[in-house]
Amino acid sequence: MLSTFSALILGFILGMRHATDPDHVVAVTTIVGGQRSIARATGIGALWGIGHTVTILLVGGSILVFRLAIPPRLGLAMEFSVALMLIVLGVLSLTGRSAASALSPLRPVMVGFVHGLAGSAFVAMLVLGAIPSPVVGILYLLVFGVGTVAGMSLITTMIAIPSAYSLAKFTNVQRYLQLASGAVSVGLGIFLAHDVGIVNGLFGANPTWDPH
C-alpha cells in the first residue's frame, strides 16, 4: 500500500501524464490551434482540466465511496461519447465554426467533462487497489485533477506558441491549422468509435471493456 504523501505525489504526476493522452491533445488542439493569444490558450487548457476534474471527482468519487461496479456496456458508452465528441469538434473546425465558439469558456469545460467520463472509472479502480481509505482516495482524485489542469495548461501553451508565431507572420495560416486539426480529430474519432462500438462490442451481444 502507498503512504498518503506518496499517493498524492503520484496522483499529481499521473494527472499531468494523463493530460498528454492523444485524444485529449487532439481535442484541445481543435480549440487552441488558431489562437493568437498564448494566455488565452493556456486558460483554455486550464478550463479543460477543470471540467475533467469535476467528472473525475463525481464519477470516480462515487465508485470509491460506494464501491460501485461499472458494467462493461456503460464503460464502453462513456468511451464512445469521447469518440463522438472528437468527430463533432473536428467537423466544427473543418467547417470554420470553431473560432467563435472557442472564445466561450463553456466549451473547453464541457470537452474536459466528457473526457473525464471515459477516464474516471480507470482512475478510481487504480485507487481502489492501492488506497484503502475513501477519504484519501478522494484527496488523490483531487490532486490527480490538479495535475491534469497543470499538464493541459502546459500542453495548450506549447501548442499556442508556434501557432501564435505563425499567425503573426502568415495571415492565412489560421484556416490551414483549423483544417489540419479538424481532419485529425474526425479521423481519431472515427477510429475510436469503431474500436469501441465494433471491436469491443458496445453494439454487440457480449461487450468487453478494459478501462484505460
Side-chain angles (χ1 to χ4, degrees):
M1 295 293 180
L2 293 174
S3 68
T4 300
F5 179 76
S6 298
L8 297 182
I9 294 297
L10 180 62
F12 182 82
I13 294 173
L14 291 179
M16 292 195 69
R17 158 63 184 82
H18 186 67
T20 66
D21 285 357
D23 57 322
H24 299 167
V25 176
V26 169
V28 296
T29 300
T30 64
I31 305 175
V32 304
Q35 282 290 333
R36 296 177 181 272
S37 170
I38 296 175
R40 182 176 291 165
T42 303
I44 288 172
L47 289 171
W48 181 97
I50 291 171
H52 187 279
T53 301
V54 169
T55 318
I56 290 288
L57 287 174
L58 289 177
V59 179
S62 298
I63 293 174
L64 288 178
V65 173
F66 301 108
R67 294 297 194 263
L68 299 179
I70 304 297
R73 199 176 299 278
L74 177 58
L76 289 173
M78 291 191 292
E79 293 187 1
F80 192 76
S81 67
V82 173
L84 293 180
M85 183 194 62
L86 286 170
I87 294 172
V88 170
L89 288 174
V91 170
L92 289 175
S93 286
L94 290 172
T95 56
R97 300 176 184 176
S98 61
S101 58
L103 300 178
S104 169
L106 182 61
R107 182 181 177 190
V109 171
M110 291 304 300
V111 172
F113 190 89
V114 173
H115 269 115
L117 285 175
S120 56
F122 171 65
V123 176
M125 288 169 64
L126 284 179
V127 176
L128 273 174
I131 302 174
S133 169
V135 174
V136 177
I138 296 296
L139 188 57
Y140 172 93
L141 294 180
L142 179 60
V143 174
F144 181 93
V146 173
T148 304
V149 172
M152 187 52 74
S153 298
L154 179 60
I155 289 171
T156 50
T157 301
M158 294 173 63
I159 294 172
I161 290 174
S163 175
Y165 176 79
S166 299
L167 289 172
K169 293 291 184 180
F170 310 102
T171 56
N172 295 325
V173 76
Q174 181 176 12
R175 184 59 188 143
Y176 294 110
L177 291 173
Q178 289 179 342
L179 290 174
S181 62
V184 172
S185 187
V186 170
L188 180 58
I190 292 174
F191 172 80
L192 291 177
H194 177 268
D195 187 58
V196 172
I198 305 302
V199 177
N200 292 323
L202 172 61
F203 304 120
N206 299 301
T208 56
W209 180 50
D210 180 22
H212 56 275

